[in-house]
Amino acid sequence: MKTLANLTAIENQLHQLLETDKPIKLNCNESPFDLPQTLKDTITSKMAELSWNRYPDFQQTDLVELLAHSVGLKNENILLGNGSSQLIQQIINCCSKFVSEVIIENPTFTLYHQICQNERLNYKEWHLNENGSFCIENFPTVSEPSIVIITSPNNPTGAVLPKNELETLLQTYPECIFLVDEAYGEFANESSIELIHKYSNLLVLKTFSKGFGLPSMRFGYVAGSKILIDLLRKHTIPFTINVFSELIVRESLTNNSFSRIIKTNQERIKNLRDFSCYELSEIADKTTFSVNTSQSNFLLLRFNDTSLLNEIKEIFAAKNITVSFPITDCIRITIGTEVEMSKVLKIIKQCVNSFKVSCQEAILNTLSVY
Ligand SMILES: Cc1ncc(COP(=O)(O)O)c(C=O)c1O
C-alpha cells in the first residue's frame, strides 16, 4: 500500500514538473535528496546545546576515532579537512616542497590543474581512454619523485581504476606519493582504503559532500600511513572543522536512522544512474552520442554530432535544467530525483528521435536527386 502511495506521489510530481520549468540543478554532483525535516530539527536542537563561545576540540579525537574505526584504520592514519578541496590544496602544497612533478589524469577534476599551476608545479597528464576508462599502458614516464593524483571514480567519466592496477603502479613507483581521490567512492564497487595497510606511499581522500549528501557541512578527510599523515599535519591550520559540522558528521555515523537514510539515498541514486544509463544506451549510436557505465553519481554523454549537442543544450537552458560541460562535445549529468531524470531522459530521447528523422529525410532528399 505504501509503495502504491509512493508511486502515486511520484507520478503527481512528474506531471507537475513536466508542466512547469522549475529549476533542476544537475551540474555539481550533489545529492538531489535533502534530509527529512524531523531529523534536521533533532540535530538543530543538539546544536543549541553546544558551547558556541568555545573553540572546537583541537585534536577532534572523537570524530577521528569514529572515522578511523569506520574504515578499519587507526587514529594516526586520519587527518580531517574543511571539505576535500581544502585537503587537496594542503596535500599539494605540502608535497610541492619535496616533489618536482605531478601526474594527473586527463580529464580530471579541474581544481587539480588550478592548484598545480598556483604552486608552480609541472604536471604530466595520464590520458584516459576514449570511453573514459583508465589505461595503465598510457601511464606517463616518471623519472623523478612525483605526486600521482588519481580520481577514482574519475570525475567526469565515472570510471574506476581497478585495485590490482593501482597496486601495480604503487609497486612500480615506490618513490612517488599516490593520492587517490575517492570523492565518489560510495557509489563505486570497491575502495582502495585497505591498501593503506600495505603501502606507505598511498593517501586516500574522502568527502562527505557526495555519497553522504552533505556538501554544506564542508567536511572531508585524508587517510594514509602515519608518516605521511604526520607530515601533512604540520601543514594544518587549527580549528578547520567547526562544531556544527563536527556534530552532523558524528550524527551521520552514529545515529542509525541518519545512517539508514544516507545508505538508502546512495542505493536510490545508484539505481537511477544504472536505469538512466540503460535507457540512454538504448538510443545511443555512432551518429548521435555514447554513454558509458559510471560508478559515480553522474553520467557523461559524448556527442558525435555538434548540432544534436547544441539542440539539447538549448532545450535544457530553456527548461531551466543546469548540467555541466566539463570537456568538449560532452555533457555531464548529475543523477537527480526520479522525476527530474524522467524529464531529462524525455528531452534527450525527443531530440535524438527528431535528429534521426531529419538525418533520414536528408538522405532521402539526396537520393531523390539521382
Ligand atoms: C573528484 C573530486 N574531488 C574533490 C571534490 C571536492 O569536494 P569537497 O571539497 O566538497 O569535499 C570534488 C567536487 O566536486 C570532486 O569532484
Side-chain angles (χ1 to χ4, degrees):
M1 276 315 273
K2 199 166 172 217
T3 321
L4 200 62
N6 284 350
L7 275 179
T8 318
I10 289 175
E11 227 172 285
N12 287 341
Q13 278 180 41
L14 179 59
H15 280 301
Q16 271 175 22
L17 199 77
L18 290 177
E19 303 290 286
T20 64
D21 287 334
K22 198 172 151 236
I24 299 181
K25 194 170 178 300
L26 305 176
N27 59 332
C28 288
N29 301 336
E30 296 153 315
S31 169
F33 308 118
D34 199 357
L35 295 173
Q37 194 57 46
T38 45
L39 182 60
K40 285 184 176 178
D41 290 344
T42 311
I43 298 175
T44 313
S45 62
K46 289 190 182 180
M47 272 181 187
E49 288 165 18
L50 298 172
S51 304
W52 293 20
N53 58 324
R54 300 289 175 200
Y55 279 109
D57 172 18
F58 185 72
Q59 310 278 5
Q60 295 283 6
T61 320
D62 291 351
L63 191 52
V64 168
E65 194 162 339
L66 266 176
L67 289 164
H69 181 72
S70 74
V71 292
L73 293 169
K74 293 186 183 152
N75 289 17
E76 64 193 27
N77 302 119
I78 304 284
L79 180 70
L80 310 184
N82 188 254
S84 60
S85 302
Q86 182 249 305
L87 288 166
I88 292 170
Q89 156 102 57
Q90 187 175 338
I91 295 164
I92 299 180
N93 175 276
C94 170
C95 292
S96 68
K97 311 290 180 289
F98 54 92
V99 302
S100 43
E101 201 165 67
V102 182
I103 314 287
I104 34 181
E105 309 124 288
N106 182 345
T108 189
F109 180 42
T110 46
L111 185 67
Y112 285 111
H113 289 92
Q114 188 192 322
I115 295 177
C116 288
Q117 281 156 7
N118 292 347
E119 295 290 338
R120 305 270 190 279
L121 272 167
N122 291 330
Y123 57 84
K124 279 187 189 159
E125 292 189 321
W126 179 13
H127 290 270
L128 302 191
N129 289 323
E130 177 74 14
N131 68 2
S133 62
F134 289 85
C135 174
I136 206 152
E137 284 78 34
N138 290 348
F139 194 78
T141 325
V142 180
S143 45
E144 44 204 327
S146 307
I147 171 158
V148 180
I149 297 167
I150 299 169
T151 55
S152 177
N154 175 270
N155 176 10
T157 74
V160 163
L161 175 67
K163 221 193 282 185
N164 61 330
E165 296 188 9
L166 173 62
E167 282 214 64
T168 306
L169 290 175
L170 284 160
Q171 285 160 10
T172 314
Y173 302 105
E175 75 288 4
C176 292
I177 293 174
F178 283 77
L179 173 62
V180 178
D181 180 344
E182 291 191 353
Y184 302 93
E186 287 77 19
F187 303 107
N189 301 331
E190 60 178 28
S191 165
S192 55
I193 207 149
E194 67 198 39
L195 296 180
I196 286 170
H197 293 290
K198 224 167 144 186
Y199 300 95
S200 58
N201 58 334
L202 171 65
L203 290 169
V204 179
L205 193 58
K206 294 280 191 185
T207 178
F208 273 53
S209 299
K210 311 296 179 182
F212 283 77
L214 297 167
S216 52
M217 292 309 125
R218 310 308 303 130
F219 183 81
Y221 67 96
V222 59
S225 59
K226 181 177 183 314
I227 188 161
L228 282 183
I229 294 296
D230 281 348
L231 185 70
L232 291 173
R233 214 184 294 284
K234 290 186 187 147
H235 290 251
T236 305
I237 46 166
F239 311 119
T240 42
I241 314 298
N242 70 69
V243 287
F244 306 117
S245 299
E246 184 207 333
L247 172 72
I248 292 171
V249 171
R250 197 149 29 84
E251 286 286 316
S252 74
L253 296 167
T254 54
N255 173 329
N256 286 342
S257 59
F258 197 163
S259 314
R260 242 193 332 271
I261 290 168
I262 291 170
K263 197 80 206 133
T264 308
N265 287 344
Q266 287 169 4
E267 289 307 313
R268 198 166 160 192
I269 291 168
K270 286 200 272 180
N271 287 337
L272 271 164
R273 172 198 68 195
D274 294 341
F275 172 75
S276 307
C277 186
Y278 171 77
E279 288 279 296
L280 289 169
S281 59
E282 286 286 283
I283 54 160
D285 64 26
K286 62 179 185 314
T287 64
T288 54
F289 71 96
S290 60
V291 58
N292 289 106
T293 52
S294 161
Q295 292 203 40
S296 210
N297 66 340
F298 52 80
L299 291 171
L300 187 73
L301 276 56
R302 197 178 290 269
F303 284 82
N304 303 318
D305 186 280
T306 318
S307 63
L308 175 62
L309 169 66
N310 289 339
E311 167 84 5
I312 293 174
K313 266 187 191 175
E314 270 173 35
I315 299 183
F316 277 174
K319 301 225 169 265
N320 250 326
I321 300 172
T322 316
V323 290
S324 114
F325 308 100
I327 30 179
T328 325
D329 298 333
C330 290
I331 299 183
R332 191 194 64 196
I333 303 173
T334 304
I335 302 304
T337 62
E338 289 79 358
V339 173
E340 290 170 346
M341 292 317 289
S342 167
K343 186 164 180 174
V344 163
L345 292 177
K346 191 169 174 204
I347 292 171
I348 298 175
K349 282 181 189 172
Q350 278 171 350
C351 288
V352 168
N353 280 342
S354 51
F355 172 79
K356 285 181 179 168
V357 169
S358 64
C359 287
Q360 275 164 1
E361 280 171 1
I363 293 170
L364 288 176
N365 282 342
T366 315
L367 288 176
S368 68
V369 173
Y370 293 99

